[in-house]
Amino acid sequence: AQSVTQLDSQVPVFEEAPVELRCNYSSSVSVYLFWYVQYPNQGLQLLLKYLSGSTLVKGINGFEAEFNKSQTSFHLRKPSVHISDTAEYFCAVSRFYNQGGKLIFGQGTELSVKP
Amino acid sequence: GAGVSQSPSNKVTEKGKDVELRCDPISGHTALYWYRQSLGQGLEFLIYFQGNSAPDKSGLPSDRFSAERTGGSVSTLTIQRTQQEDSAVYLCASSLAGTPNNEQFFGPGTRLTVL
């Protein structure tokens, strides 16, 4: 079975500071990795995904994530956050050969950007 | 173009009543997913439809939950004899093809409150 652990439930940060949201996964098979963002009262939106190739993945809104196979991690980073980045962030995996590609989500990290 | 839509946006019901939640996927998307987002359990997969194939029901929490997808498009999630623990936000997502590397597009969700 697969599982996803987001190590921080809440991350407060000041505007223009860098941020890292941590994600570790556990799986006996190869997986694809995703980060989704959920703004208040909205559905989930894909930030970025790792399928194969370069381990550094760039996404929307200036976010990037690095896949580290040996540490089974996929941490999300942004060098300088804005107030508008305040949202909940979810790390997720899907199995390579899983029929349908259902997503297994972490518990979420609430990013709060303060002025 | 239009995204995934869900109705109603909010539903309040009494314990023991049946409810139906509706999802309209993006036109042309063959795969449709239901997830549940609750405080205690986070984001959980419920059920997945792909074309005319038998649905993957492995995430449904009990036999009070069922779903159908008519004509390969609109889907309805039905919860019979609702219980207070069913209170959650029910999210629908669709993807172009039901493969693990495909992006899933999420609707805004239906917030279900069982009194």
Side-chain angles (χ1 to χ4, degrees):
Chain A
Q2 294 76 49
S3 67
V4 179
T5 303
Q6 292 184 241
L7 298 160
D8 306 293
S9 59
Q10 293 181 319
V11 173
V13 65
F14 287 107
E15 193 174 18
E16 298 183 7
V19 71
E20 178 179 81
L21 307 184
R22 297 179 293 169
C23 172
N24 285 88
Y25 68 94
S26 171
S27 177
S28 57
V29 299
S30 296
V31 294
Y32 298 110
L33 296 146
F34 304 82
W35 275 99
Y36 280 84
V37 60
Q38 186 176 34
Y39 297 103
N41 301 313
Q42 295 186 28
L44 278 74
Q45 179 183 1
L46 181 68
L47 267 180
L48 48 80
K49 60 183 177 183
Y50 175 76
L51 304 182
S52 64
S54 172
T55 57
L56 183 63
V57 180
K58 293 190 184 298
I60 62 171
N61 301 338
F63 283 92
E64 64 182 31
E66 185 153 21
F67 170 57
N68 187 318
K69 188 174 182 179
S70 63
Q71 297 185 2
T72 59
S73 68
F74 191 53
H75 301 334
L76 181 70
R77 301 187 184 101
K78 187 170 182 178
S80 176
V81 294
H82 301 134
I83 298 285
S84 59
D85 292 323
T86 295
E88 189 149 22
Y89 293 78
F90 293 92
C91 182
V93 302
S94 67
R95 290 174 59 179
F96 264 22
Y97 301 111
N98 181 28
Q99 67 274 24
K102 65 186 180 186
L103 293 168
I104 309 298
F105 287 92
Q107 290 294 314
T109 297
E110 190 178 325
L111 176 65
S112 175
V113 181
K114 304 180 186 305
Chain B
V4 177
S5 61
Q6 294 185 244
S7 60
S9 55
N10 279 285
K11 176 72 176 178
V12 180
T13 191
E14 293 179 349
K15 179 181 172 180
K17 300 283 190 183
D18 297 352
V19 295
E20 286 188 352
L21 312 180
R22 176 187 168 104
C23 172
D24 280 275
I26 293 172
S27 178
H29 280 193
T30 62
L32 186 148
Y33 308 78
W34 284 98
Y35 295 87
R36 179 169 71 173
Q37 185 174 22
S38 57
L39 281 176
Q41 302 298 323
L43 265 164
E44 311 169 89
F45 165 79
L46 296 177
I47 188 169
Y48 153 74
F49 295 89
Q50 170 63 50
N52 295 320
S53 301
D56 175 358
K57 304 179 183 179
S58 60
L60 294 179
S62 78
D63 59 8
R64 295 186 296 102
F65 287 72
S66 63
E68 62 177 19
R69 188 179 185 191
T70 53
S73 182
V74 171
S75 177
T76 302
L77 177 70
T78 301
I79 309 173
Q80 296 179 308
R81 306 181 302 282
T82 52
Q83 303 294 311
Q84 289 183 332
E85 62 262 29
D86 300 334
S87 295
V89 177
Y90 290 81
L91 294 170
C92 176
S94 69
S95 71
L96 191 58
T99 54
N101 57 349
N102 258 221
E103 177 179 356
Q104 294 182 26
F105 294 82
F106 284 79
T110 293
R111 181 175 298 277
L112 175 65
T113 303
V114 182
L115 302 176

